[in-house]
Amino acid sequence: MDLEQRLRERADVLTPSERRIGETILANSQLVAFGTVADVAEAARVGTATVVRFAVKLGFDGYSQLQASVQRDVSGQLRPAVERIRDQRSGDETLATRHADVEAANVRSTLDAIRVGDDRAVVDRLSDERFPVLVLSGVASRGVAMQFVGDLEQLRPGVRLLDGNQVDIVRTLALVGAEATLVVLDLRRYERWLIDAMELARARGAWAVAVTDNVLSPLASMAEHAFVVSAASAGPFDSHVGTLALLNLFVVEVAARRRDGAVTRLDAIEAAWVAADALTDDGK
Amino acid sequence: MDLEQRLRERADVLTPSERRIGETILANSQLVAFGTVADVAEAARVGTATVVRFAVKLGFDGYSQLQASVQRDVSGQLRPAVERIRDQRSGDETLATRHADVEAANVRSTLDAIRVGDDRAVVDRLSDERFPVLVLSGVASRGVAMQFVGDLEQLRPGVRLLDGNQVDIVRTLALVGAEATLVVLDLRRYERWLIDAMELARARGAWAVAVTDNVLSPLASMAEHAFVVSAASAGPFDSHVGTLALLNLFVVEVAARRRDGAVTRLDAIEAAWVAADALTDDGK
DNA sequence: GCTAGAGTGAAACAACCGTTTCATCGCGTG
DNA sequence: CACGCGATGAAACGGTTGTTTCACTCTAGC
């Protein structure tokens, strides 16, 4: 990836037009591999001269040399996959490649383990604004729980991550009680307070879905629906990549279900960002 | 493989020279994908006219059309896995299966995109207790950032997620300054405060690694090392599954590096859990 | 408000490309 | 041996390409 490296090094001296060229060809490298200066210029909506200047600025002699460089990168990519894999794990499998395999497998087996229709019921509940959503999580998965809450919150009101001190949690559970939808998240070596809290909520009639490591988990037995995640890791901690992939599925399906309802919310959020001028595309 | 098919169909009407052209371009399809008539002619040791006649004989209008055909074949192979999956929406493919494909591809391409040795330097820094680690994240990835901080914190002291109000952030950055290691996390539509904070830290000599969506991102240009994540999604929000997989790789590698140093910490944490009787295996 | 300078695209230009033409070669047939 | 004919490459020919020039626009700084 010679081009990417050069782009990175000189990203700060690029003009707006040149930056657009860079983004265009990063998003579509075939354009420069097969195309002419005019093709790239049109796609990036700049003049042909600017494209050539861009190539020179990156340290090439001209467009032709830039194109040759991209073609070299590309030829490597279209070598048969088997060959590439072979010389990647030359001899000993590294920690990095094992990690990649493990995480990819986590995603696959977590999502494959979903029993058809099982997610359907959950999405129905999560899409219904009448039921406030409470998320309970063990410390180990608190980050992905937050991630889930943050996304779901943008699609519907009444989503909350329950944490803080136990008094607060008990009070909240007592208040929302019967109509609450619980999403409970914890893996083996379950946290006692979490089980207690879930028990309390169940006793008050709340509807619960468990995301856990095992069908025999105490969480699973207390929940209406249970999802089993794969949390294998090449390191000392459980990986929550699979968990996040599962939670994202819920988000994606809720978004599809609530399409119109969500748009209003998303527009409001977007408008607020714009009003505050808090976001930027290029840092300038 | 349109070309192969045409070649097989008309193999019997090819002249010796034409046959040699066919063998040449089958053995090296990049030649015709990227090269000129003259290139192919030279490689097959024939004249340029023969190459053109060859293309016509296969049913193309001329060399240009033959080339276009090969390029189409080739571009299918080299488009990023995520993209290919995206428009593979073949009829009745469900949202759930597409989501599974997309998330698995996110993990794979995020981890495949790591330039060898690039992670090495980062892990060196993250493993060194002398450098406090500060994590900065946009709201959209705050959950995975927390997840990362929580895991890394168990392996070494001095890890902090920087959030809260801007005054607090500026003060913290000013205090730790030169010896800090920054991990900055944000995707397109970058948050302005984050860029500002990173600029401030860089000015004070901090060492930074960026995790972002693009080599041209303002974060990448300010960082010592930049990692590009795939965040494709079947829904409206970016997926941070790939991001989490990348951060987990850092955690796994830091754990391997610090093996002995980390054990003491993990034992202490474990002891505290046991003392508080906060964990259970079965809920009883 | 004016100016210097950077940024940009239209147009001119020379080089190269794909295509076509045409003379030559090789070879079987009358 | 002459002849016809398919095969072939050198060279000519438009067309297109990458490159360069140049005039215009926009903006920062005085």
Side-chain angles (χ1 to χ4, degrees), chain A residues 233-279:
Chain A
S233 168
F237 309 127
D238 287 332
S239 158
H240 291 92
V241 168
T243 313
L244 183 56
L246 173 67
L247 296 175
N248 275 356
L249 174 64
F250 295 156
V251 172
V252 165
E253 289 190 318
V254 168
R257 182 78 50 89
R258 289 180 48 85
R259 196 171 297 280
D260 296 330
V263 164
T264 335
R265 271 181 94 73
L266 291 172
D267 283 350
I269 295 168
E270 172 69 21
W273 284 123
V274 172
D277 191 30
L279 298 178

Side-chain angles (χ1 to χ4, degrees), chain B residues 63-263:
Chain B
Y63 177 79
S64 304
Q65 208 176 92
L66 163 78
Q67 187 179 50
S69 163
V70 173
Q71 288 178 347
R72 237 176 294 116
D73 286 351
V74 153
S75 28
Q77 292 174 34
L78 57 83
R79 271 164 53 223
V82 215
E83 264 182 55
R84 260 178 294 161
I85 287 161
R86 268 208 150 203
D87 42 58
Q88 237 178 26
R89 29 182 94 197
S90 55
D92 57 352
E93 192 188 43
T94 70
L95 196 56
T97 60
R98 193 157 92 247
H99 173 75
D101 290 341
V102 168
E103 293 290 30
N106 278 337
V107 171
R108 278 253 104 96
S109 25
T110 299
L111 295 177
D112 283 351
I114 300 172
R115 293 218 310 283
V116 282
D118 225 8
D119 57 330
R120 177 71 189 269
V122 174
V123 173
D124 282 343
R125 265 308 274 223
L126 291 178
S127 304
D128 196 330
E129 287 193 23
R130 288 172 302 172
F131 306 120
V133 175
L134 293 178
V135 179
L136 285 164
S137 169
V139 274
S141 51
R142 226 177 125 242
V144 295
M146 276 198 53
Q147 197 70 39
F148 175 61
V149 169
D151 283 354
L152 197 60
E153 215 163 30
Q154 295 184 63
L155 295 174
R156 52 155 293 172
V159 186
R160 224 188 116 181
L161 177 65
L162 263 195
D163 56 1
N165 69 60
Q166 199 149 4
V167 180
D168 182 37
I169 292 170
V170 168
R171 193 181 50 194
T172 306
L173 287 177
L175 284 178
V176 291
E179 71 273 10
T181 298
L182 248 64
V183 178
V184 189
L185 225 58
D186 201 14
L187 305 192
R188 179 184 16 96
R189 300 278 238 106
Y190 315 98
E191 296 178 21
R192 227 177 267 280
W193 72 269
L194 207 152
I195 297 173
D196 295 342
M198 191 173 172
E199 236 158 24
L200 173 65
R202 283 307 309 258
R204 301 194 54 86
W207 193 94
V209 43
V211 175
T212 183
D213 64 311
N214 194 299
V215 282
L216 286 179
S217 129
L219 304 186
S221 60
M222 280 192 286
E224 244 77 33
H225 288 93
F227 294 85
V228 175
V229 300
S230 297
S233 168
F237 308 127
D238 287 332
S239 158
H240 290 93
V241 168
T243 312
L244 183 57
L246 174 66
L247 296 175
N248 276 355
L249 174 65
F250 294 156
V251 171
V252 165
E253 289 190 318
V254 168
R257 182 79 49 91
R258 287 179 49 86
R259 195 172 299 280
D260 299 329
V263 164

